[in-house]
Amino acid sequence: MSDRLKDLQRQRALAQEQLAWLDREIARETGGQSLPAPAVIAPRPTATSSVASDTEVEAEKILERFRHTEHPVRDEVKRGCFIYFFAAFGLLILALMGFYFARRH
């Protein structure tokens, strides 16, 4: 086999693994409804050096670290918008009170 063919087969196997992962994540988010297993699963290419396996281990660590977020970002943004709104409203009230007392005397 040519090197190009091996590389193409390796890329296809990686793409199939990614699609399988996406299917599992979609199934998990939709309430655990399992999707049928893919008909053809290409064998996972073996790492030819320890650098590739080290990179995979580091990538898995990074993915695991960000996989479970405590609060969605939209909740933090919503809270921040409320804080800015009430802070601006409070400053407006203080400015109106200051203007009222300055004009009264």
Side-chain angles (χ1 to χ4, degrees), residues 18-59:
Q18 184 179 17
L19 288 174
W21 176 80
L22 285 170
D23 289 340
R24 287 190 305 271
E25 291 297 313
I26 290 170
R28 188 180 75 185
E29 291 296 320
T30 58
Q33 300 170 354
S34 62
L35 297 174
V40 176
I41 298 177
R44 184 178 179 131
T46 58
T48 57
S49 67
S50 64
V51 174
S53 62
D54 290 342
T55 306
E56 290 176 5
V57 170
E58 288 180 33

Short mmCIF file of all heavy atoms in Angstrom, two decimals, residues 18-59:
data_model
loop_
_atom_site.label_atom_id
_atom_site.label_comp_id
_atom_site.label_asym_id
_atom_site.label_seq_id
_atom_site.Cartn_x
_atom_site.Cartn_y
_atom_site.Cartn_z
N GLN A 18 -14.70 10.31 15.29
CA GLN A 18 -15.29 11.59 15.68
C GLN A 18 -16.81 11.55 15.51
O GLN A 18 -17.54 12.03 16.38
CB GLN A 18 -14.70 12.73 14.84
CG GLN A 18 -15.20 14.09 15.28
CD GLN A 18 -14.59 15.21 14.46
OE1 GLN A 18 -14.04 14.98 13.40
NE2 GLN A 18 -14.71 16.42 14.96
N LEU A 19 -17.28 10.97 14.43
CA LEU A 19 -18.72 10.87 14.21
C LEU A 19 -19.37 9.97 15.27
O LEU A 19 -20.47 10.27 15.76
CB LEU A 19 -19.02 10.34 12.82
CG LEU A 19 -18.74 11.31 11.67
CD1 LEU A 19 -18.93 10.63 10.34
CD2 LEU A 19 -19.63 12.53 11.78
N ALA A 20 -18.70 8.90 15.64
CA ALA A 20 -19.23 8.03 16.69
C ALA A 20 -19.31 8.78 18.02
O ALA A 20 -20.29 8.65 18.76
CB ALA A 20 -18.35 6.78 16.83
N TRP A 21 -18.29 9.58 18.32
CA TRP A 21 -18.30 10.39 19.54
C TRP A 21 -19.45 11.39 19.50
O TRP A 21 -20.16 11.56 20.50
CB TRP A 21 -16.96 11.10 19.71
CG TRP A 21 -16.94 12.01 20.90
CD1 TRP A 21 -16.75 11.66 22.21
CD2 TRP A 21 -17.16 13.43 20.89
NE1 TRP A 21 -16.82 12.78 23.00
CE2 TRP A 21 -17.07 13.87 22.23
CE3 TRP A 21 -17.40 14.35 19.90
CZ2 TRP A 21 -17.23 15.20 22.57
CZ3 TRP A 21 -17.56 15.68 20.25
CH2 TRP A 21 -17.48 16.09 21.58
N LEU A 22 -19.63 12.05 18.36
CA LEU A 22 -20.74 13.00 18.23
C LEU A 22 -22.08 12.30 18.42
O LEU A 22 -22.98 12.83 19.08
CB LEU A 22 -20.70 13.68 16.85
CG LEU A 22 -19.63 14.76 16.68
CD1 LEU A 22 -19.55 15.18 15.22
CD2 LEU A 22 -19.93 15.95 17.56
N ASP A 23 -22.23 11.10 17.87
CA ASP A 23 -23.47 10.35 18.05
C ASP A 23 -23.70 10.03 19.52
O ASP A 23 -24.83 10.13 20.02
CB ASP A 23 -23.44 9.05 17.23
CG ASP A 23 -23.56 9.31 15.73
OD1 ASP A 23 -24.04 10.40 15.35
OD2 ASP A 23 -23.18 8.41 14.96
N ARG A 24 -22.64 9.65 20.24
CA ARG A 24 -22.80 9.34 21.66
C ARG A 24 -23.18 10.59 22.46
O ARG A 24 -24.04 10.53 23.34
CB ARG A 24 -21.50 8.75 22.22
CG ARG A 24 -21.24 7.33 21.78
CD ARG A 24 -20.08 6.70 22.56
NE ARG A 24 -18.85 7.45 22.51
CZ ARG A 24 -17.91 7.32 21.57
NH1 ARG A 24 -18.07 6.44 20.61
NH2 ARG A 24 -16.81 8.05 21.61
N GLU A 25 -22.55 11.72 22.14
CA GLU A 25 -22.87 12.96 22.85
C GLU A 25 -24.30 13.41 22.56
O GLU A 25 -25.00 13.86 23.46
CB GLU A 25 -21.88 14.07 22.45
CG GLU A 25 -20.46 13.83 22.95
CD GLU A 25 -20.38 13.82 24.46
OE1 GLU A 25 -20.96 14.72 25.11
OE2 GLU A 25 -19.74 12.89 25.01
N ILE A 26 -24.73 13.29 21.33
CA ILE A 26 -26.10 13.65 20.97
C ILE A 26 -27.07 12.75 21.70
O ILE A 26 -28.08 13.20 22.24
CB ILE A 26 -26.30 13.59 19.44
CG1 ILE A 26 -25.55 14.73 18.76
CG2 ILE A 26 -27.78 13.64 19.08
CD1 ILE A 26 -25.49 14.62 17.25
N ALA A 27 -26.77 11.46 21.76
CA ALA A 27 -27.64 10.51 22.46
C ALA A 27 -27.71 10.84 23.94
O ALA A 27 -28.78 10.78 24.55
CB ALA A 27 -27.15 9.08 22.24
N ARG A 28 -26.58 11.22 24.52
CA ARG A 28 -26.56 11.55 25.94
C ARG A 28 -27.38 12.81 26.22
O ARG A 28 -28.12 12.88 27.19
CB ARG A 28 -25.13 11.75 26.41
CG ARG A 28 -25.04 11.92 27.92
CD ARG A 28 -23.64 12.11 28.36
NE ARG A 28 -23.28 13.49 28.00
CZ ARG A 28 -22.09 14.00 28.14
NH1 ARG A 28 -21.12 13.27 28.61
NH2 ARG A 28 -21.84 15.24 27.80
N GLU A 29 -27.28 13.82 25.35
CA GLU A 29 -28.01 15.06 25.54
C GLU A 29 -29.50 14.92 25.27
O GLU A 29 -30.30 15.69 25.78
CB GLU A 29 -27.43 16.18 24.66
CG GLU A 29 -26.06 16.63 25.07
CD GLU A 29 -26.04 17.27 26.45
OE1 GLU A 29 -26.99 18.02 26.77
OE2 GLU A 29 -25.09 17.02 27.21
N THR A 30 -29.90 13.95 24.47
CA THR A 30 -31.32 13.77 24.16
C THR A 30 -31.98 12.81 25.12
O THR A 30 -33.09 12.36 24.87
CB THR A 30 -31.52 13.28 22.72
OG1 THR A 30 -30.81 12.06 22.54
CG2 THR A 30 -31.07 14.31 21.71
N GLY A 31 -31.35 12.49 26.19
CA GLY A 31 -31.99 11.66 27.21
C GLY A 31 -31.58 10.21 27.18
O GLY A 31 -32.32 9.35 27.64
N GLY A 32 -30.46 9.90 26.60
CA GLY A 32 -29.96 8.55 26.64
C GLY A 32 -30.50 7.63 25.58
O GLY A 32 -30.30 6.44 25.63
N GLN A 33 -31.20 8.17 24.61
CA GLN A 33 -31.67 7.33 23.52
C GLN A 33 -30.47 6.92 22.71
O GLN A 33 -29.76 7.75 22.17
CB GLN A 33 -32.66 8.09 22.65
CG GLN A 33 -33.88 8.56 23.39
CD GLN A 33 -34.72 9.50 22.54
OE1 GLN A 33 -34.32 9.88 21.47
NE2 GLN A 33 -35.86 9.87 23.07
N SER A 34 -30.22 5.64 22.62
CA SER A 34 -29.03 5.18 21.92
C SER A 34 -29.27 5.12 20.42
O SER A 34 -30.35 4.78 19.96
CB SER A 34 -28.59 3.81 22.44
OG SER A 34 -29.62 2.88 22.17
N LEU A 35 -28.24 5.50 19.70
CA LEU A 35 -28.28 5.43 18.25
C LEU A 35 -27.70 4.11 17.80
O LEU A 35 -26.87 3.53 18.49
CB LEU A 35 -27.48 6.60 17.66
CG LEU A 35 -28.02 7.99 17.97
CD1 LEU A 35 -27.07 9.03 17.44
CD2 LEU A 35 -29.39 8.19 17.38
N PRO A 36 -28.09 3.61 16.65
CA PRO A 36 -27.51 2.35 16.18
C PRO A 36 -26.02 2.49 15.93
O PRO A 36 -25.54 3.55 15.54
CB PRO A 36 -28.26 2.07 14.88
CG PRO A 36 -28.85 3.37 14.46
CD PRO A 36 -29.04 4.17 15.71
N ALA A 37 -25.31 1.42 16.18
CA ALA A 37 -23.87 1.42 15.96
C ALA A 37 -23.57 1.51 14.48
O ALA A 37 -24.32 1.01 13.65
CB ALA A 37 -23.26 0.15 16.54
N PRO A 38 -22.46 2.17 14.12
CA PRO A 38 -22.13 2.27 12.71
C PRO A 38 -21.86 0.89 12.11
O PRO A 38 -21.35 0.00 12.78
CB PRO A 38 -20.87 3.13 12.68
CG PRO A 38 -20.36 3.13 14.07
CD PRO A 38 -21.50 2.83 14.97
N ALA A 39 -22.19 0.72 10.85
CA ALA A 39 -22.06 -0.57 10.19
C ALA A 39 -20.59 -0.96 10.00
O ALA A 39 -20.21 -2.09 10.18
CB ALA A 39 -22.78 -0.55 8.85
N VAL A 40 -19.76 0.01 9.63
CA VAL A 40 -18.36 -0.28 9.37
C VAL A 40 -17.52 0.53 10.33
O VAL A 40 -17.61 1.74 10.38
CB VAL A 40 -17.99 0.09 7.91
CG1 VAL A 40 -16.51 -0.12 7.68
CG2 VAL A 40 -18.83 -0.68 6.94
N ILE A 41 -16.70 -0.16 11.10
CA ILE A 41 -15.80 0.52 12.01
C ILE A 41 -14.38 0.15 11.59
O ILE A 41 -14.00 -1.02 11.61
CB ILE A 41 -16.04 0.11 13.46
CG1 ILE A 41 -17.45 0.50 13.88
CG2 ILE A 41 -15.01 0.73 14.37
CD1 ILE A 41 -17.81 0.07 15.28
N ALA A 42 -13.65 1.15 11.19
CA ALA A 42 -12.27 0.91 10.76
C ALA A 42 -11.40 0.72 11.99
O ALA A 42 -11.63 1.34 13.03
CB ALA A 42 -11.77 2.09 9.94
N PRO A 43 -10.39 -0.12 11.90
CA PRO A 43 -9.51 -0.31 13.05
C PRO A 43 -8.74 0.96 13.35
O PRO A 43 -8.35 1.69 12.44
CB PRO A 43 -8.57 -1.44 12.60
CG PRO A 43 -8.62 -1.41 11.12
CD PRO A 43 -10.00 -0.93 10.76
N ARG A 44 -8.57 1.22 14.63
CA ARG A 44 -7.85 2.41 15.04
C ARG A 44 -6.37 2.26 14.68
O ARG A 44 -5.76 1.23 14.97
CB ARG A 44 -8.02 2.61 16.54
CG ARG A 44 -7.37 3.88 17.01
CD ARG A 44 -7.60 4.05 18.49
NE ARG A 44 -6.94 5.26 18.90
CZ ARG A 44 -7.50 6.19 19.62
NH1 ARG A 44 -8.73 6.04 20.03
NH2 ARG A 44 -6.84 7.27 19.96
N PRO A 45 -5.81 3.27 14.04
CA PRO A 45 -4.40 3.17 13.68
C PRO A 45 -3.53 3.17 14.93
O PRO A 45 -3.81 3.87 15.89
CB PRO A 45 -4.15 4.42 12.83
CG PRO A 45 -5.23 5.37 13.20
CD PRO A 45 -6.40 4.54 13.63
N THR A 46 -2.47 2.39 14.89
CA THR A 46 -1.57 2.34 16.04
C THR A 46 -0.59 3.48 15.95
O THR A 46 -0.17 3.90 14.88
CB THR A 46 -0.80 1.00 16.05
OG1 THR A 46 -0.08 0.88 14.82
CG2 THR A 46 -1.76 -0.17 16.19
N ALA A 47 -0.21 3.97 17.10
CA ALA A 47 0.75 5.07 17.14
C ALA A 47 2.14 4.52 16.85
O ALA A 47 2.55 3.52 17.41
CB ALA A 47 0.72 5.73 18.51
N THR A 48 2.84 5.20 15.98
CA THR A 48 4.18 4.74 15.62
C THR A 48 5.22 5.28 16.57
O THR A 48 6.34 4.80 16.57
CB THR A 48 4.52 5.16 14.18
OG1 THR A 48 4.40 6.59 14.09
CG2 THR A 48 3.58 4.51 13.19
N SER A 49 4.87 6.28 17.34
CA SER A 49 5.83 6.82 18.29
C SER A 49 5.12 7.21 19.57
O SER A 49 3.91 7.33 19.63
CB SER A 49 6.54 8.04 17.69
OG SER A 49 5.61 9.10 17.55
N SER A 50 5.90 7.40 20.61
CA SER A 50 5.31 7.78 21.90
C SER A 50 4.82 9.22 21.88
O SER A 50 4.00 9.60 22.70
CB SER A 50 6.33 7.59 23.02
OG SER A 50 7.43 8.46 22.82
N VAL A 51 5.31 10.01 20.93
CA VAL A 51 4.86 11.40 20.82
C VAL A 51 3.38 11.44 20.48
O VAL A 51 2.62 12.22 21.06
CB VAL A 51 5.69 12.15 19.75
CG1 VAL A 51 5.14 13.55 19.53
CG2 VAL A 51 7.15 12.20 20.16
N ALA A 52 2.92 10.59 19.58
CA ALA A 52 1.51 10.57 19.20
C ALA A 52 0.66 10.16 20.38
O ALA A 52 -0.39 10.75 20.63
CB ALA A 52 1.30 9.62 18.02
N SER A 53 1.08 9.14 21.14
CA SER A 53 0.28 8.71 22.28
C SER A 53 0.29 9.75 23.39
O SER A 53 -0.72 9.94 24.06
CB SER A 53 0.78 7.36 22.80
OG SER A 53 2.11 7.47 23.25
N ASP A 54 1.42 10.44 23.60
CA ASP A 54 1.48 11.50 24.59
C ASP A 54 0.53 12.64 24.21
O ASP A 54 -0.15 13.20 25.07
CB ASP A 54 2.90 12.05 24.73
CG ASP A 54 3.84 11.06 25.39
OD1 ASP A 54 3.34 10.11 26.03
OD2 ASP A 54 5.07 11.25 25.26
N THR A 55 0.49 12.95 22.93
CA THR A 55 -0.40 13.99 22.46
C THR A 55 -1.85 13.60 22.67
O THR A 55 -2.67 14.42 23.09
CB THR A 55 -0.15 14.28 20.97
OG1 THR A 55 1.23 14.56 20.78
CG2 THR A 55 -0.98 15.44 20.48
N GLU A 56 -2.17 12.36 22.41
CA GLU A 56 -3.54 11.88 22.63
C GLU A 56 -3.92 11.94 24.10
O GLU A 56 -5.04 12.31 24.44
CB GLU A 56 -3.70 10.46 22.09
CG GLU A 56 -3.65 10.37 20.59
CD GLU A 56 -3.70 8.94 20.09
OE1 GLU A 56 -3.87 8.03 20.92
OE2 GLU A 56 -3.57 8.74 18.87
N VAL A 57 -3.00 11.58 24.97
CA VAL A 57 -3.27 11.61 26.41
C VAL A 57 -3.50 13.04 26.87
O VAL A 57 -4.44 13.32 27.63
CB VAL A 57 -2.11 10.95 27.20
CG1 VAL A 57 -2.25 11.20 28.69
CG2 VAL A 57 -2.04 9.47 26.89
N GLU A 58 -2.67 13.96 26.40
CA GLU A 58 -2.84 15.37 26.77
C GLU A 58 -4.16 15.91 26.23
O GLU A 58 -4.85 16.66 26.92
CB GLU A 58 -1.67 16.19 26.25
CG GLU A 58 -0.38 15.96 26.99
CD GLU A 58 0.75 16.80 26.45
OE1 GLU A 58 0.47 17.93 25.99
OE2 GLU A 58 1.89 16.33 26.48
N ALA A 59 -4.50 15.51 25.01
CA ALA A 59 -5.76 15.97 24.43
C ALA A 59 -6.94 15.45 25.24
O ALA A 59 -7.91 16.19 25.48
CB ALA A 59 -5.87 15.51 22.98
#
